[in-house]
Amino acid sequence: MTADGATGRVTRRRVRTRANLLRAAFSVFAAKGFGHVSIEEVCEAAGYSRGAFYSNFASLDELFFALYVERAELIAEQVSGALALDGPDLDVPAAVDRVTEALLLDRDWLLVKTDFLVHAARDPDVARGLLEHRARLRRAIADRLARARGHTALPAVLGDADGAAHAVVAAYDGVTTQLLLDRDVVRARAWLKQLLTALLTDGGAEPDPRGRGGGRGRSPWTPTS
């Protein structure tokens, strides 16, 4: 066996160990909450020693942030992927349907994320990292909206694509907070769809006398049926 072969085997084992620790930590954090979990509990849930933990993470904070990054990047991919399917023109109702169906609305993840937000609010270093990852999600959304803007108008009240991206993320935050309390995923998806459609269409347009919402001044974002 060559040294390269041995290194590859160690690397694969390390990747698997890290993934197992993250999966176990997610389960323990969701059940007990960050601040009530020890490294020993994570190791026990994953079936590893403290040595295996410290070979992958320096602390529970680092593990928690790695977990957050993993999920946040998944959400960014879901949103940007759903918005990218229309080409230069953006069919808002269809895009909103795709986004709301694709978005991760797992209550256990929301519990973990909320714990992390509270933890970050008390630690400026962690807060800076969290703000950067939230900014990355907004940039992915803003980039898609900006590319559509030459073909499809944004509601003026939002200012620009970055303002619209902030509004989209704020709507998601609000709906998921409610979901934590009422546990109604179906309602959360329906409410998120309503909010995003309202945000990304021109609510100031005059109503169509035929009841279709497409009267004088209708923005190209507004659905016609």
Side-chain angles (χ1 to χ4, degrees), residues 41-191:
E41 286 175 298
V42 172
C43 292
E44 182 179 353
Y48 292 119
S49 66
R50 286 175 63 93
F53 179 94
Y54 284 115
S55 70
N56 287 275
F57 305 102
S59 64
L60 280 177
D61 279 5
E62 185 178 317
L63 182 150
F64 202 113
F65 199 70
L67 183 63
Y68 182 88
V69 168
E70 182 182 82
R71 294 300 178 108
E73 290 183 349
L74 171 61
I75 290 170
E77 289 172 7
Q78 289 171 332
V79 172
S80 58
L83 290 175
L85 296 179
D86 289 320
D89 291 302
L90 191 59
D91 179 346
V92 172
V96 167
D97 280 343
R98 290 194 301 268
V99 168
T100 53
E101 286 303 314
L103 268 177
L104 184 67
L105 291 179
D106 174 64
R107 190 170 180 275
D108 283 346
W109 160 241
L110 296 174
L111 285 169
V112 172
K113 186 186 83 164
T114 301
D115 277 339
F116 191 75
L117 286 169
V118 173
H119 174 62
R122 294 189 172 100
D123 187 324
D125 290 335
V126 177
R128 279 191 291 272
L130 179 57
L131 285 170
E132 172 53 34
H133 284 283
R134 285 174 64 83
R136 186 181 303 173
L137 171 60
R138 289 196 305 269
R139 284 195 298 269
I141 299 170
D143 178 67
R144 177 62 189 96
L145 296 176
R147 282 187 283 116
R149 194 173 187 184
H151 306 264
T152 309
L154 281 169
V157 70
L158 295 177
D160 56 15
D162 188 55
H166 272 81
V168 168
V169 173
Y172 173 76
D173 286 343
V175 167
T176 54
T177 297
Q178 181 67 26
L179 175 59
L180 279 174
L181 301 175
D182 64 23
R183 303 169 181 249
D184 190 339
V185 175
V186 173
R187 183 181 180 186
R189 288 197 191 281
W191 183 226

Side-chain angles (χ1 to χ4, degrees), residues 21-43:
L21 284 166
L22 287 170
R23 186 162 51 247
F26 176 82
S27 177
V28 177
F29 287 147
K32 300 187 69 173
F34 188 76
H36 301 281
V37 173
S38 66
I39 289 174
E40 288 77 10
E41 286 175 298
V42 172
C43 292

